[in-house]
Every structure is written in structure tokens, then in C-alpha cells.
């Protein structure tokens, strides 16, 4: 069951460039514990860091100080798909599940003292669905709450391709939430613009899309993004084919994301925080 105070543990495998104190390895000099080398006292005037042994050994009689890297914060962005296909769901729509996942991400980011922002996309990136990076992500929380009851009609995902233009310059951890019911070429085109960042693709599917389908009967379906309706005659052979197609699609998505070193995280109905913690432990070294 979803817990509003739920969170997971994550880490990054690069040195943050942020000046704000945090919990990640950083290239910034400061009061951290990671020894970075020695410097002349004139270049780094901090007498608290004088290294007596290094100073005595210097034939030029310069005064040396130890310098350390501090722990810094890193930018984190949540990107949420607002296209019509995300409105699907029997008990809960994918928008509702996206909102729950985004709230858990927010809890996790606040616990790490990182900066958090939010971008929603469908046909375009509307400024009303953008929250800039902040250490007090009030606007992000408002958009996450708005996402829970969002309804969308006949809107596509095409704004995703331009999303790199709205991202911070520094390397960013991106949680990209979508069902990825879109052409592979559009996904690849987008990922190619995000290679300087670290993307965690959260593939949100609903089991009723491919599981527990009736074995026999007529089924009306509607393409959520185009609005086109069609009727299919379900029989055992067709339901097996639908399941097989989803299995093929899952494998294709895995191969596509891994090509860019962005391992996908699949969610079928419910998001499990422990599995996300295990995901970071498996794919990222601190």
C-alpha cells in the first residue's frame, strides 16, 4: 500500500559540482573528509589545515595545508508524461500512479538535501508544468498534487524531444516517468540529447493492458493519443499475441535504454521503494 512518507535511498556515481552542502561526492573544496591533496598556504589560506610533516619536508620551506573535498548537493529533476495514454487505468490512472511516484521521489530528494525540479510534457512543454530547481520545492509539490487529478485528451508525447532545452547545465539526475507508448525512434532521439545527464527511465505500465484479458468477446479500444476507436474480436490466440507483444516491447525498451547506459525501472501498477533502492545499488556505485 502507498505510504505518503515513503522514500528510497539513491546515490550518484559522479562528483557533484554543486556549492550547496549535501551528501554526494564533490569536486568542491571545503570541510569534507575526502583528502584531495596539498596546497601552499598562500594559495589556500586556511591555517587550520596546516600539515606540519609536509611543511618540514619541503626544501623550499613553504607552508603546506591539506585540502579536502566537501560533500555537495546535486540537481534532481522529475519529468512526467502528460500525454493521453497516461490517463489509462482501472483502479488508478497512470497519472495518479505517476503522482505517487513523484511524491516518493520528492521525499527521497528532500532527505538528501538535493535541489529538485519538475517538468511535465505532452505535445509541448507548457511553462505551467515547469518548476525550477529548488531546495524548498514548493512549486514541484503543487504540480505533483495537480498531476494526481489531471485529465488529458488527444495529446501526444512530442514535447519530450525538446526537453533537454529546459534542463540545468550541470549534470542532473533525471527520473523520467512515462509508459513510453511511443515510437522507439522518438525515444532514441530524446535520449541522445540527454547523454550528459543520468536518466532513470521509470516505465509505467498497467497490468490490465496485457494481463487478465477476456479470452473471448468483442473489445472496443481507443488510441488515447489520436482518439481513433476500433473494435477487436478477442479470442485466445489474440490475447496470447497481446501478451507476447508486450514482452517483446519490454525487451526492446530495455535494449534501447541500455544502449545509452540508462537502465530502465519497470513499474506494473505499484511502485516499490525497496526495489528502487536495490536498482541504485545494482547499477550505480557511490
Amino acid at each position: 500500500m502507498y505510504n505518503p512518507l515513503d522514500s528510497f535511498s539513491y546515490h550518484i556515481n559522479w562528483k557533484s559540482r554543486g556549492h550547496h552542502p549535501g551528501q554526494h561526492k564533490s569536486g568542491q573544496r571545503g570541510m569534507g573528509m575526502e583528502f584531495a591533496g596539498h596546497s601552499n598556504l598562500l594559495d589556500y589560506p586556511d591555517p587550520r589545515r596546516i600539515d606540519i610533516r609536509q611543511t618540514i619536508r619541503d626544501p623550499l620551506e613553504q607552508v603546506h595545508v591539506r585540502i579536502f573535498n566537501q560533500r555537495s548537493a546535486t540537481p534532481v529533476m522529475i519529468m512526467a508524461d502528460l500525454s493521453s495514454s497516461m490517463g489509462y487505468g482501472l483502479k488508478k490512472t497512470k497519472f495518479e500512479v505517476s503522482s505517487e511516484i513523484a511524491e516518493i521521489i520528492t521525499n527521497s530528494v528532500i532527505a538528501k538535501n538535493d535541489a529538485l525540479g519538475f517538468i511535465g510534457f505532452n505535445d509541448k512543454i507548457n511553462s505551467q508544468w515547469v518548476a525550477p530547481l529548488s531546495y524548498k520545492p514548493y512549486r514541484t509539490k503543487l504540480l505533483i498534487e495537480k498531476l494526481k487529478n489531471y485529465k488529458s485528451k488527444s495529446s501526444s508525447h512530442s514535447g519530450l524531444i525538446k526537453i533537454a532545452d529546459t534542463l540545468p547545465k550541470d549534470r542532473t539526475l533525471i527520473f523520467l516517468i512515462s509508459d513510453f507508448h511511443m515510437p522507439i525512434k522518438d525515444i532514441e532521439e530524446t535520449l541522445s540529447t540527454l547523454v550528459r545527464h543520468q536518466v532513470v527511465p521509470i516505465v509505467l505500465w498497467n497490468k490490465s493492458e496485457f494481463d487478465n484479458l477476456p479470452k473471448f468477446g468483442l473489445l472496443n479500444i481507443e488510441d488515447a493519443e489520436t482518439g481513433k476507436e476500433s473494435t477487436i474480436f478477442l479470442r485466445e490466440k489474440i490475447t496470447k499475441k497481446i501478451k507476447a507483444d508486450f514482452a517483446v516491447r519490454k525487451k526492446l525498451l530495455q535494449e534501447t535504454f541500455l544502449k545509452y547506459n540508462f537502465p530502465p525501472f519497470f513499474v506494473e501498477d505499484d511502485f516499490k521503494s525497496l526495489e528502487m533502492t536495490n536498482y541504485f545499488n545494482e547499477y550505480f556505485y557511490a
Side-chain angles (χ1 to χ4, degrees):
M1 185 176 176
Y2 169 63
N3 180 350
L5 297 179
D6 206 354
S7 65
F8 57 85
S9 177
Y10 68 93
H11 43 260
I12 58 175
N13 56 4
W14 67 90
K15 287 189 175 181
S16 170
R17 298 178 63 184
H19 294 278
H20 196 283
Q23 298 187 26
H24 306 286
K25 285 185 177 180
S26 168
Q28 300 292 337
R29 301 291 185 258
M31 300 301 290
M33 300 297 292
E34 184 186 43
F35 180 63
H38 288 94
S39 179
N40 189 296
L41 181 62
L42 294 176
D43 296 330
Y44 197 83
D46 186 352
R48 297 170 300 176
R49 302 283 189 176
I50 290 176
D51 188 328
I52 302 297
R53 289 187 178 181
Q54 185 71 13
T55 300
I56 293 174
R57 282 198 292 262
D58 187 352
L60 300 178
E61 299 183 346
Q62 295 184 92
V63 178
H64 291 264
V65 293
R66 293 177 177 177
I67 55 177
F68 295 83
N69 290 331
Q70 71 170 20
R71 290 268 173 174
S72 294
T74 197
V76 180
M77 293 295 297
I78 299 171
M79 294 183 181
D81 187 349
L82 304 178
S83 65
S84 298
S85 65
M86 296 292 286
Y88 177 79
L90 298 181
K91 295 180 181 178
K92 287 187 287 190
T93 68
K94 294 177 186 176
F95 287 130
E96 290 177 271
V97 181
S98 293
S99 176
E100 292 176 358
I101 295 172
E103 189 167 351
I104 294 171
I105 293 170
T106 301
N107 293 341
S108 309
V109 171
I110 290 174
K112 288 275 189 184
N113 296 321
D114 286 332
L116 179 66
F118 183 96
I119 301 173
F121 62 89
N122 46 27
D123 296 319
K124 57 184 180 180
I125 299 171
N126 191 319
S127 59
Q128 293 181 345
W129 278 99
V130 175
L133 284 172
S134 173
Y135 293 97
K136 296 180 179 178
Y138 178 69
R139 179 164 171 75
T140 290
K141 290 180 179 179
L142 286 178
L143 293 181
I144 290 171
E145 186 62 29
K146 183 179 175 182
L147 178 64
K148 188 178 298 180
N149 299 311
Y150 185 66
K151 298 185 187 306
S152 174
K153 286 190 175 180
S154 302
S155 60
S156 73
H157 59 273
S158 53
L160 176 63
I161 296 173
K162 297 180 181 177
I163 212 156
D165 298 336
T166 63
L167 288 172
K169 292 181 180 177
D170 288 343
R171 193 173 187 187
T172 301
L173 178 61
I174 299 168
F175 292 93
L176 176 54
I177 308 171
S178 172
D179 55 13
F180 293 97
H181 288 338
M182 57 186 78
I184 291 295
K185 68 177 182 59
D186 289 353
I187 297 174
E188 290 202 280
E189 185 176 348
T190 301
L191 297 182
S192 67
T193 67
L194 299 175
V195 290
R196 63 192 298 269
H197 303 289
Q198 181 62 57
V199 180
V200 177
I202 298 179
V203 185
L204 183 54
W205 285 354
N206 191 303
K207 273 189 175 179
S208 62
E209 292 177 282
F210 53 92
D211 206 5
N212 296 325
L213 293 171
K215 293 182 178 178
F216 186 81
L218 291 174
L219 181 66
N220 292 320
I221 59 174
E222 178 182 337
D223 187 317
E225 297 197 1
T226 64
K228 291 182 179 178
E229 293 186 354
S230 59
T231 302
I232 59 173
F233 180 63
L234 278 181
R235 53 190 188 278
E236 190 171 357
K237 183 179 179 181
I238 297 295
T239 56
K240 284 183 178 178
K241 184 178 184 307
I242 291 173
K243 285 186 179 181
D245 287 347
F246 266 86
V248 170
R249 177 71 178 179
K250 184 173 185 177
K251 185 178 180 184
L252 184 58
L253 285 173
Q254 286 173 324
E255 292 173 349
T256 301
F257 288 123
L258 287 174
K259 190 187 301 181
Y260 294 88
N261 199 25
F262 300 150
F265 183 84
F266 284 84
V267 177
E268 294 179 359
D269 296 335
D270 294 317
F271 179 87
K272 295 181 174 62
S273 298
L274 179 58
E275 291 183 2
M276 180 56 88
T277 298
N278 292 337
Y279 167 94
F280 274 94
N281 290 337
E282 180 177 0
Y283 292 112
F284 297 83
Y285 59 89

